[in-house]
Amino acid sequence: MTVSLGMSLPATHAWAAWSPCTTGCVTHAAERVPAARVARRAAVFGRSVVDALLCGRRIAESGTLRARAAALLDALGVRLEVTGGTTLSAPGGTGTLIVANHISWLDVIALLAVEPVVMLAKREIAGWPLVGPLASRAGTLYIDRASLRELPCTVREMAARLRAGRSVMVFPQGITWCAGTGGSFRRATFQAALDAGAPVRPVTLDYVQHTTPTTVAAFVGEDDFGASLRRVLRADGLTVRVAVHRPLRPEPGADDRRALAARAQATVGGARLPVHG
């Protein structure tokens, strides 16, 4: 089981998630924006990141985090389109395990702009320039993808957050794909929902440029953050679409984590075929 916010890398363990996506999958679906507009976007984005950093620990406050995430999308010229609901958390006495397909580092910003929740991400994110401090201050949970020993502890911590009424966001594919919903959902994190008696909210993410499907936002293969950011800054008409599906309620005695993961994946993928098999 791996949980990712980042590149698709070759598997180093038999159990590690793997994706065939490379930077060769990534392309614009529209003309690039003029250089002058790219420069303006970069400047505004830089100021938005600095403003977020200056918030200090206040970035963990729900209203502040949502506003800063929305400001980052706006600075990049990325439009947010949400269907199926205005919140990610389902009503009830516990938090919600929110699960989505994983394409880009933009996924996290877009989801936080819908509703600030606890994110589960690979430990490497904590060391990233600018992004790392923001993620840590926002209350991100980290997982070491190279160690299975930490997984039970992570699941227990997730279940505790859910019982306390905090919603937790994970990417069960464990790795990024250029588009679509390829790969299998890893089951381990679904145990937290079962242990806490919490609902699971499937979410589908898509990127389009002027309504045309695009892979320009994908962060895959041997990509690096700087190169990915430059592509996004140059992208014209980029929209991230967030489809919020009805929550899945674990059925006592019927659902185990395998069945729950399969139900969630079927909902996220719908009838669409993945880009890669």
Side-chain angles (χ1 to χ4, degrees), residues 56-147:
R57 296 294 175 182
R58 287 189 298 109
I59 195 69
E61 297 172 1
S62 180
T64 300
L65 185 54
R66 183 175 185 178
R68 292 304 177 189
L72 289 172
L73 288 180
D74 188 59
L76 293 168
V78 178
R79 182 171 175 264
L80 176 64
E81 180 181 295
V82 184
T83 59
T86 57
T87 61
L88 302 176
S89 296
T94 68
T96 303
L97 180 67
I98 302 153
V99 299
N101 57 307
H102 199 12
I103 299 170
S104 171
W105 52 272
L106 280 174
D107 300 346
V108 173
I109 300 175
L111 291 166
L112 292 176
V114 177
E115 181 190 344
V117 295
V118 176
M119 290 285 174
L120 181 65
K122 65 181 184 180
R123 191 175 303 279
E124 293 91 327
I125 299 298
W128 284 13
L130 300 179
V131 176
L134 286 176
S136 296
R137 292 174 188 175
T140 298
L141 290 176
Y142 294 112
I143 185 169
D144 185 351
R145 298 188 302 172
S147 175

Side-chain angles (χ1 to χ4, degrees), residues 153-229:
C153 181
T154 300
V155 171
R156 286 194 296 270
E157 189 169 358
M158 290 172 58
R161 300 286 182 102
L162 292 170
R163 291 190 192 97
R166 296 293 306 277
S167 292
V168 180
M169 176 76 227
V170 302
F171 298 102
Q173 289 163 298
I175 207 160
T176 49
W177 289 68
C178 63
T181 50
S184 298
F185 276 18
R186 300 306 176 99
R187 303 184 298 270
T189 53
F190 289 88
Q191 188 63 47
L194 292 170
D195 293 346
V200 176
R201 172 82 80 180
V203 175
T204 304
L205 296 165
D206 284 298
Y207 290 86
V208 297
Q209 287 182 271
H210 300 296
T211 73
T212 300
T214 183
T215 57
V216 71
F219 185 41
V220 294
E222 296 183 358
D223 212 351
D224 65 78
F225 180 74
S228 179
L229 175 60

Side-chain angles (χ1 to χ4, degrees), residues 5 14 21 25-26 33 46 75 78 92 125 133 135 139 144 154 167 179 210 215 229 231-232 234 247 252 259 267:
L5 192 163
C21 299
C25 301
V26 185
V33 301
V78 178
I125 299 298
D144 185 351
T154 300
S167 292
H210 300 296
T215 57
L229 175 60
R231 281 196 306 273
V232 171
R234 295 181 184 128
T267 303

